[in-house]
Amino acid sequence: MAESVGLVRELRARILFDRGRRPDFRAADGSYADSQELDFGAWHFIARREADGRPLGYVRLSTPQTGELFQTRAYLGAGRYEEVLREYGLGVAETFEHSRLVVEHQARKLGLGVYLNAFAIAAARCLGAKAMIGTSGTADGQDRFHERFGFRPVPGTRRYVEHYTEDVVIMLYRAAQRAGEYADLIERLEEDFPAATVSARQAGLGAAVEACLAPGADTRRPVGAVAAGRGRGEADTEAAARWRPVLYDLGREQDRRGLEALLDSGGVRQILDTVDEQLRELVTSREPGLRSSAQAVERAVAEQLDGTPAHDYGIWAFYPWSGRLVHLLPREEFRLVRTDRNRGRIERPEQRRLLERRVGIIGLSVGSSAALTFAMEGIGGAFKLADFDSLSVSNLNRLRAGVHHLGLNKCVIAARQMVEIDPWLDIEIYPGGLTDETMEDFFSGGAGPIDLLVEECDTPYVKFAARERARALGIPVVMDANDRGLLDVERFDLEPDRPLLHGLLGETTSADLADLTPQEAVDAILTMVDRERISPELTASITQIGVTLSSWPQLASGVALGGALTADAARRILLGQPRPSGRFYTDLELLTAADRSTLV
């Protein structure tokens, strides 16, 4: 046991010493020292080229049982540590710590750092962690490395630490969320975790457990090279719930190897490379006058590349659900070109302001039109989508989806379509819908609080409960009712005491709307949309619901109009432009009646 512990500690200290950069990790006699009591009772993951080879990398995972010894607790102090967890809605008994991620210099190109980090996250999730926390250095971009796995820095925790001779910051990851760009790898490793471990007795680490990772030919897989689907039906494959693309920047050796591995894996079904044309669009977007000279355009493109081969410029985005690999400009340049035609209506400073906003959307039937319109127009750079329902055949009359999407959760469908428009969108999904358990996380947790809510669900309790939470937090709410072009706006950000749904339900609370019968639910919805103002067609349909009609009648044209109305209102609200509370109608039957024609 002592020999194994000593081996691990010597490995860590030698790598952390980093040729004298961190002198505290070498003793006066020249030996390397990193003795920590936290080693006992932790999980130790060691990477080797061969099963009996020397260690090349290492990471430690500590469980709440040794929480009193956590590095983050020592760094923050016990009181502040528990306060931080409470701020994120977490408890000490559900938070794991990962630490001491080290990789030998000569092995870093193998992708071991990615693999080890992913394995620790997978293990924590398999063991029931609700969150992971840890300290991270910043000098070499370690914090940015962890962000690629879904970790986020805790505000106010960065400071210089003499022991490490650099600034250190606390990073936190929620296990319920997708793990950044390496989510697919982590999901695979989570399944492999039980078989990859050996008993503590075999490992010789007492209460600790060692997992011997033998990367070998598999070392390139950590950067996303996992085939998606492999020809199976989408609804029953393990890849069915994926909605995040994998991005490869060939300026990073690790990503270059990852892309090579992906291409070798057979997971790529189609390669799309139009970056030459994208570059021409980029330079002419910046200088429209160049369009008159093809030679001037090519010179500007050459200056933009500045010696970088076109193949290596920008990023390659892999979409696992379709097997498509697409070559794109870098993020800021891509977005500049993609939204270039917005100018004149939404200027670039306004575009940047909108991309800093986070939008929540509840209900991805009617709400899917809003989600896609927001993504296309650049209204929001981050989104939270909530819907418990999956796509059925009867949804295809109004949702932008295909028969290959049948059986998929509507959040997943919308998220995929959105990242196919902009692969850098930050999207969190709530495939169980908005519930009492997920309400706080949806509004305030996860990657950050929302700035605006689009409410398009059919459940009276959720409609009201969401507004109660939005009003308490000062979050504006917009809704389209999919009848007569009804747009509903509630500016709780400006009117904190405004009655919910304009007071149409009086003193009703969400608790009053729980456990309604189907008829009571219909009555509540009709009161919310003002039954006196609904269209004649909807009025006639109400009595037939459950008799000759299966549900509310809805048309694609109405859903598309709702997406436009909510997007226009949201854009104005988020930019601080006039858009007051109220209820407004864009009734196309009235607006396009014969007596409304402008022709004489």
Side-chain angles (χ1 to χ4, degrees), residues 450-464:
I450 62 174
D451 299 294
L452 179 137
L453 175 66
V454 180
E455 187 281 296
E456 298 292 352
C457 72
D458 296 331
T459 307
Y461 172 78
V462 175
K463 294 174 85 71
F464 232 70

Side-chain angles (χ1 to χ4, degrees), residues 354 357 359 370 374 377 379-380 451-454 476-478 487 489 491 563-577 579:
L354 288 171
R357 300 295 191 157
V359 176
F374 281 42
E377 201 161 299
I379 304 170
D451 299 294
L452 179 137
L453 175 66
V454 180
V477 180
V478 297
L487 171 68
V489 180
R491 296 298 305 271
L565 292 172
T566 53
D568 183 86
R571 184 184 71 246
R572 295 176 189 277
I573 291 170
L574 294 175
L575 290 176
Q577 298 172 353
R579 175 49 65 206

Side-chain angles (χ1 to χ4, degrees), residues 373-394:
T373 305
F374 281 42
M376 285 187 282
E377 201 161 299
I379 304 170
F383 295 85
K384 295 184 178 184
L385 312 179
D387 197 315
F388 64 87
D389 201 11
S390 57
L391 186 76
S392 61
V393 173
S394 63

Side-chain angles (χ1 to χ4, degrees), residues 50-234:
E50 295 86 24
D52 58 350
R54 67 183 182 86
L56 297 176
Y58 166 88
V59 68
R60 178 177 64 201
L61 176 67
S62 302
T63 70
Q65 282 70 30
T66 56
E68 294 292 328
L69 303 174
F70 280 6
Q71 291 186 166
T72 43
R73 190 184 188 95
Y75 177 90
L76 293 171
R80 177 60 180 144
Y81 172 76
E82 294 181 10
E83 181 183 346
V84 165
L85 294 185
R86 285 195 297 271
E87 288 173 357
Y88 285 86
L90 301 168
V92 294
E94 55 201 11
T95 303
F96 287 48
E97 181 184 72
H98 92 315
S99 56
R100 287 301 193 259
L101 173 64
V102 292
V103 176
E104 293 276 22
H105 284 277
Q106 68 269 28
R108 291 180 184 177
K109 291 184 178 181
L110 296 176
L112 293 185
V114 169
Y115 200 90
L116 283 163
N117 219 34
F119 204 92
I121 295 170
R125 288 168 47 151
C126 191
L127 294 168
K130 186 173 181 181
M132 295 178 70
I133 198 166
T135 56
S136 172
T138 58
D140 297 325
Q142 303 99 310
D143 53 333
R144 295 191 298 275
F145 171 79
H146 290 303
E147 285 181 359
R148 297 173 69 190
F149 291 83
F151 281 84
R152 294 292 181 267
V154 176
T157 63
R158 179 169 175 162
R159 71 170 186 269
Y160 182 79
V161 176
E162 183 67 31
H163 187 58
Y164 298 104
T165 67
E166 63 182 300
D167 279 3
V168 170
V169 67
I170 300 296
M171 307 288 290
L172 189 139
Y173 162 72
R174 289 175 175 272
Q177 304 301 322
R178 291 274 289 181
E181 61 191 82
Y182 297 114
D184 296 330
L185 171 66
I186 290 168
E187 289 176 3
R188 179 173 64 83
L189 291 176
E190 190 173 354
E191 295 178 0
D192 295 345
F193 172 70
T197 58
V198 295
S199 72
R201 183 174 300 172
Q202 289 173 309
L205 285 170
V209 176
E210 176 182 2
C212 296
L213 311 179
D218 196 45
T219 55
R220 295 182 295 178
R221 295 189 70 183
V223 277
V226 182
R230 299 178 186 256
R232 293 175 290 176
E234 185 169 30

